[in-house]
Amino acid sequence: MSKEIYLDGNATTCVLPAAIDAAVQAMRDCFGNPSSTHATGLKAKAMLDAVRQRAKRLLGVGSGRIMFNSGATEGIQTAVLSALCALRERRERGEAIGGLLVYGATEHKAVPEALAHWNRLLGLGLELKKLPVDGDGRHDLAALRALAPQAAFVCTMAANNETGVVSDLVGIGATLAASKALWMVDCVQGLGKLPLDLGNTRIDYAPFSGHKLYAPKGIGMLYVREGAPYTPLVMGGGQEAGLRSGTENMAGIAALGAVLAVLEEGGTFRSPSELHGFRDKLAASLRAAFPGIVFNAPLDKALPTTLNFSVPGLSSKELLDVFDAANVRVSAGSACSAAKAAPSYVLDAMGLPAWRSSSAVRMSFGPLASEEIINEACVRIERCGMALRNAGLMDTPVSGAVVPEGVLQLSLAGNHTWLLLDEPSRQCIVVDHQAELGERIDSLLHSHGYQLSARLSTRDGRAETDSFAFGARAVRRVALDSTRSAYLLCSGDKVDYAFTGLAALSELAGKVPVDALLCAGREEVNACCTSLRAEAQGSMASTELNLDSIALARLLQAQPQAVLVDVRETYEQAACIPGGRAAQSVPLSRLAAFVPGWLAAVDPPPLVFFCRSGNRSAKAAQCLRRLGYRHAYSLAGGVALASPELALAA
Ligand code: PLP
């Protein structure tokens, strides 16, 4: 297996070796409770105080307070609670506080959620107001100027987690100069990447999270300006000078301290110009690999460690899958489900077109990145581009790629379009075409030299039956009722496949032969493919379908004739580093094309399907078992969890 390249630093980072050492030392040698007055406690307290002093120096907050907590979400809660409690008191004293809780439209969800939560719990009844951003993702200062007189509390961020866009904190500060509003700046993505001289600003609260900069998860800190109102979120033994009770997370604080030391002392993290150089290299490779790529934030206004991009015609899921296969970890710019990616509210707020917002990918790294890793990432990015081109997913001629043949399923939001591909004549029939898949189908056919010969719809209610030749086979339409048809793909008298749209099994009885493979129009109707006979027999009680790595190794030893089947898409397979155990390539979208061959085998070997995470392989194995193939298995957890000894291509 190739070495993992982790380019998802805005989600979290690995832990700096010096931070691991510091945490271990805190647990082993300096395990005291900093509240104890004996020598062991005093040692722990000295460490705690030293980290706090270092944080204060780094952030330039001599007179302000720094408190340690569990991370930025807690820091945000504490800041919001503190501000809102103060606003309530001021209002009760009869002061005018303004009626608006203003937050940037691209803030992390923790901010508006905390505002809404505490506003409701405290019964304040203030209005939450989104501050718009411009097309570059920067806060709209004119809008802020207009809101400032009614603003009670303003929440903005130092840099955006999805796009890396750096806020104009000087401009925001100037706009709020005459306002009495309290101001929180979420500095999570700024630490170690931006100069933060907080003491010289009018910022009241600034939360930080350790795990975004090489400290472990579960440790964070909150800066509170001297004189800014404060209400503890957690009450108890009065630790942290009463600001946050509970015995301190000393291992986490020690680890954070080691990271802050590296920041303060220099020499470990890359300089901004080196980081810009790394990003330029990655951007150049992305441009070469994905012609037409668009970057979703202006690079000169974003952190040098973040790239957010979309590629016309490719979903974020396809891009994530191909990068994951190449062992490059990136994330979707938006919450993404298997069926359809949800658009990103950050990119929506910037006014980007829907396709860019729903297909965005974020590539981010930290200041510990090395030239060697970036260079290897560039090689793999270019391989991913080639893999997608050869799979016909980008409309460019392919070289040396396997030409798809037989039947192929394309899915969008759970709806299936089926392509019937006759390789000798290079003719293609599309059943239940979906407009959104038009470009994908065009580039697939164009890049493999296919001609579209017909588009058929199962929502065709003509009564008469018709039939036409398709290469050496024939396609026959059978009317199911006055609104729907099924299409039968026949070899002579034998019906190989039936494309049945949304028809229920009961509607097919008598019209479709019992052994024809049914290819439905939606996942819920039937996954992959099935037959009337298989459905009538019901699922067979059988051996466990899911195998973990140990069970698979045992099976491969006991039954060396077992066949491993990689059901990842061809572009994922091509993106893997060559090598690894031999496996048959049958992308799940092409499973139906291979099923007849497996079912016809005289001495069927065990088939072990595998994919990235175990979902697609489980579908494939279930499909085969339903059709009577007893020894079909799925590798649970996929290549992501497979033991290295299995040597699966990854
Ligand atoms: N704010 C920003 C900008 C973030 O990126 C994150 C984490 O993704 C958070 C807040 C929340 O941080 P945590 O999960 O460490 O509490």
Side-chain angles (χ1 to χ4, degrees), residues 10-11 70-74 76 108 110 157 159-161 186 188-189 209-212:
N10 288 11
S70 66
T73 302
E74 184 187 329
I76 290 166
H108 187 276
M157 63 202 322
N160 186 269
N161 44 307
D186 173 347
V188 167
Q189 298 291 347
S209 192
H211 74 101
K212 305 287 184 179

Side-chain angles (χ1 to χ4, degrees), residues 545 609 616-626 632-634:
L545 181 129
F609 296 98
R616 287 173 285 179
S617 55
K619 280 186 193 172
Q622 273 153 4
C623 168
L624 266 288
R625 287 224 184 165
R626 224 176 22 242
Y633 302 93
S634 162

Side-chain angles (χ1 to χ4, degrees), residues 369-423:
S370 70
E371 181 103 44
E372 186 200 349
I373 289 174
I374 298 295
N375 289 345
E376 177 59 22
C378 291
V379 169
R380 294 195 200 176
I381 287 168
E382 285 168 32
R383 198 169 53 238
C384 288
M386 181 71 79
L388 287 161
R389 274 200 295 282
N390 279 348
L393 268 67
M394 288 191 268
D395 197 0
T396 46
V398 301
S399 55
V402 180
V403 177
E405 206 266 333
V407 299
L408 186 150
Q409 185 193 58
L410 292 177
S411 296
L412 190 82
N415 293 314
H416 301 326
T417 291
W418 289 90
L419 268 55
L420 285 50
L421 299 156
D422 184 57
E423 204 260 331

